[in-house]
Amino acid sequence: NAGVTQTPKFQVLKTGQSMTLQCAQDMNHEYMSWYRQDPGMGLRLIHYSVGAGITDQGEVPNGYNVSRSTTEDFPLRLLSAAPSQTSVYFCASSPLDREFYGYTFGSGTRLTVV
Amino acid sequence: KQEVTQIPAALSVPEGENLVLNCSFTDSAIYNLQWFRQDPGKGLTSLLLIQSSQREQTSGRLNASLDKSSGRSTLYIAASQPGDSATYLCAVHSIGANSKLTFGKGITLSVRP
């Protein structure tokens, strides 16, 4: 059981480039979300999804796009990378019955924008 | 707006000591509270989840308690070991927050041999 898989683990981008961070889960979880972790700021929610075809914004959505075409996948797209998007990105998933089950996190993608 | 606080930001203890990590939150309308461990440069590993109707959960040397009315949770680590050195994050899943977890900034624990 792989859980939540994120790719790539590391990435360096030039300012203005675009890229997609991949996230896949094999637990049939309805909820999926993206967080970024920055020193002194903790983890902040970027976007989330409550099921295929449904997405919504979190605290810090600007500069990012998401879509959810399948239950398993929830990619995060950086439209035009900026140095301020240098961060560690985590994908997380949770089942529908969320009172009884917590979140499972991926191992993260460390992104540097130069 | 839910706010989660973890104090102190860092803690250093000698091996073998029993210790308590604190977490406080401002809104008691929660589904659950989850404690995570994060090793340097790594992802988040779930340690314990306490549902809103529960008072505590135990796993091995770890015991987490929840007092919703006072907005507090504690993570108790018995007989600490150098391998326990990591950052411990508390996260609250608030009711009506549409899947949003609110994290504390974490407590970085160092257990000295």
Side-chain angles (χ1 to χ4, degrees):
Chain A
N1 199 353
V4 178
T5 302
Q6 290 185 238
T7 56
K9 293 190 183 302
F10 302 94
Q11 183 71 49
V12 178
L13 286 180
K14 294 183 179 180
T15 298
Q17 287 185 318
S18 62
M19 79 160 293
T20 299
L21 280 62
Q22 302 291 345
C23 175
Q25 52 92 8
D26 61 358
M27 298 171 284
N28 203 32
H29 285 173
E30 290 82 1
Y31 293 101
M32 296 187 74
S33 50
W34 279 99
Y35 290 83
R36 60 178 288 175
Q37 185 178 36
D38 302 290
M41 301 292 291
L43 283 99
R44 293 178 292 169
L45 181 66
I46 304 171
H47 284 287
Y48 65 93
S49 169
V50 298
I54 305 170
T55 63
D56 206 346
Q57 296 180 351
E59 298 173 80
V60 288
N62 292 341
Y64 307 95
N65 268 358
V66 293
S67 60
R68 184 106 178 261
S69 56
T70 67
T71 299
E72 295 78 20
D73 300 299
F74 191 43
L76 178 71
R77 282 181 285 275
L78 278 70
L79 309 174
S80 177
S84 62
Q85 294 179 304
T86 293
S87 187
V88 182
Y89 292 84
F90 289 101
C91 179
S93 72
S94 175
L96 182 66
D97 202 356
R98 48 195 175 171
E99 179 178 0
F100 302 103
Y101 301 95
Y103 283 75
T104 301
F105 278 76
S107 58
T109 295
R110 189 172 296 272
L111 175 69
T112 302
V113 182
V114 298
Chain B
K1 177 185 174 184
Q2 181 74 268
E3 294 181 358
V4 179
T5 303
Q6 293 183 258
I7 296 174
L11 188 61
S12 180
V13 300
E15 181 177 5
E17 191 163 298
N18 300 325
L19 56 99
V20 173
L21 306 182
N22 293 307
C23 171
S24 61
F25 51 95
T26 55
D27 186 350
S28 62
I30 64 172
Y31 287 115
N32 53 52
L33 183 146
Q34 202 166 354
W35 281 93
F36 293 91
R37 169 182 172 143
Q38 185 175 30
D39 293 291
K42 303 295 185 183
L44 279 70
T45 300
S46 181
L47 296 174
L48 289 165
L49 177 134
I50 311 176
Q51 298 165 19
S52 61
S53 58
Q54 297 176 323
R55 295 300 300 266
E56 66 178 290
Q57 282 286 340
T58 298
S59 176
R61 293 183 295 109
L62 304 179
N63 176 278
S65 67
L66 174 65
D67 185 342
K68 269 200 323 179
S69 61
S70 66
R72 293 183 182 182
S73 176
T74 61
L75 179 66
Y76 175 82
I77 303 177
S80 58
Q81 304 170 357
D84 294 329
S85 298
T87 296
Y88 292 82
L89 295 158
C90 166
V92 173
H93 189 176
S94 301
I95 292 174
N98 286 324
S99 300
K100 178 175 182 250
L101 286 180
T102 304
F103 282 85
K105 293 184 179 178
I107 298 174
T108 299
L109 173 66
S110 174
V111 181
R112 307 187 301 272

